Amino acid sequence: MNVYFIGAGPGDPELITVKGQRLLREADVVIYAGSLVNPALLAFAKQGAAIYNSASMTLDEVIEVMEKAAKSNQTVARVHTGDPSIYGAIKEQMDKLDKLNITYEVIPGVSSFLATAAALKLEYTLPEVSQTVIITRLEGRTPVPEKEKLASLASHNASMCIFLSVHMLDNVTNELINGGYPADTPIAVVQKASWPEQKIIRGTLSDIAAKTKEQSIDRTAMIVVSRCLDSDYALSRLYAPEFGHMYRDAK
Ligand code: SAH
């Protein structure tokens, strides 16, 4: 294998998978997404590994580094934040590698929306409250398809994790309210989940934007909207005594 795409997790260096860490230790070349990957992870790289920060590189430059390494039989760890399948720009790299016949494997990681739930001690899927998690973002330089506009997603009142949008929190809350979330719906903003400087702000759709501005949070934060943040719920069927299943008989 030439290239390993590794989900590095949300920030805490202990939240990379065992497999991801091993491959990072073994790699001859490391290309990491410097804007978000915790530099502490680079301490795992072996002595003498060539290290590149992709923040200042173009797609073609990244591919060139991979191609050179592959030609000299070196392995590359391409380190992405969280899990590479979510806003990771991984597909365009894989497509180029396919064309060049360079082999690769993807190692999943702990996405920041999961570290955010952990920080909030939140279950996104409470029975009779929400059984759906929507991962989305507000339109920025990357457009969002018409049918996925925040207001129309909001009409479901499902749990929502909104990436890449905290700097536009006013727009986010307006769209959510326009889309049908009541203004008192609980919402939380978690900045740098799992990092030592993690910050949590809780509020409602009507007051979160002001609270977040007060704390000068305008990047690397997850927005979570969900009735699950504060709500009565039904107990799960999984552990209910009167419900049996494959591993346990009903009482
Ligand atoms: N692939 C990454 C997401 C990359 S997009 C993942 O799976 O997490 C970058 C966005 O992710 C940021 O704008 C922010 O919304 C979110 N993000 C990344 N790391 C975060 C963290 N530690 N805490 C909160 N949000 C984070």
Side-chain angles (χ1 to χ4, degrees):
M1 199 65 60
N2 300 126
V3 176
Y4 294 98
F5 290 95
I6 300 172
D12 179 346
E14 289 188 324
L15 289 178
I16 190 172
T17 63
V18 174
K19 185 166 188 174
Q21 193 202 87
R22 173 176 63 79
L23 293 165
L24 178 55
R25 283 181 194 284
E26 291 170 3
D28 304 299
V29 177
V30 177
I31 311 174
Y32 72 105
S35 53
L36 278 172
V37 169
N38 188 342
L41 280 158
L42 300 176
F44 293 130
K46 69 181 176 194
Q47 276 264 312
I51 296 185
Y52 296 84
N53 179 353
S54 62
S56 56
M57 297 163 78
T58 63
L59 172 61
D60 284 337
E61 285 167 350
V62 168
I63 300 297
E64 216 180 284
V65 170
M66 291 175 173
E67 200 181 359
K68 263 198 198 141
K71 275 195 181 130
S72 36
N73 261 330
Q74 296 185 317
T75 60
V76 178
R78 173 63 170 118
V79 185
H80 283 264
T81 175
D83 184 89
S85 69
I86 298 176
Y87 308 115
I90 182 182
K91 169 81 172 147
E92 58 192 29
Q93 300 174 67
M94 295 190 291
D95 285 348
K96 293 232 178 210
L97 295 183
D98 283 336
K99 284 205 185 100
L100 295 166
N101 282 322
I102 294 173
T103 54
Y104 56 85
E105 192 180 323
V106 183
I107 316 300
V110 177
S111 177
S112 58
F113 82 94
L114 300 171
T116 292
L120 292 168
K121 303 193 167 63
L122 169 68
E123 177 172 347
Y124 287 125
T125 54
L126 288 178
E128 294 176 27
V129 181
S130 179
Q131 291 289 290
T132 305
V133 185
I134 296 177
I135 289 170
T136 189
R137 62 171 300 172
L138 205 61
E139 185 157 282
R141 271 182 301 181
T142 307
V144 169
E146 191 56 41
K147 286 190 171 161
E148 296 181 10
K149 294 288 187 247
L150 210 49
S152 67
L153 297 180
S155 67
H156 300 283
N157 284 19
S159 295
M160 290 177 85
C161 301
I162 308 171
F163 286 66
L164 294 161
S165 307
V166 78
H167 59 293
M168 303 180 279
L169 191 52
D170 281 319
N171 295 359
V172 170
T173 51
N174 285 339
E175 289 286 301
L176 293 172
I177 291 171
N178 289 343
Y181 273 106
D184 68 348
T185 305
I187 179 169
V189 169
V190 179
Q191 186 180 43
K192 295 206 127 182
S194 87
W195 293 66
E197 57 268 45
Q198 167 183 298
K199 265 191 197 163
I200 296 178
I201 298 174
R202 294 174 187 264
T204 63
L205 288 183
S206 46
D207 65 14
I208 194 79
K211 284 185 172 175
T212 304
K213 251 180 228 139
E214 246 167 53
Q215 302 271 333
S216 332
I217 292 178
D218 62 358
R219 52 179 310 205
T220 325
M222 184 68 57
I223 305 166
V224 175
V225 196
S226 177
R227 275 281 157 207
C228 295
L229 283 163
D230 106 16
S231 137
D232 289 334
Y233 58 96
L235 293 179
S236 76
R237 299 285 186 257
L238 186 58
Y239 298 108
E242 69 275 23
F243 282 90
H245 52 68
M246 206 157 65
Y247 301 102
R248 180 170 55 72
D249 291 331
K251 292 207 169 117

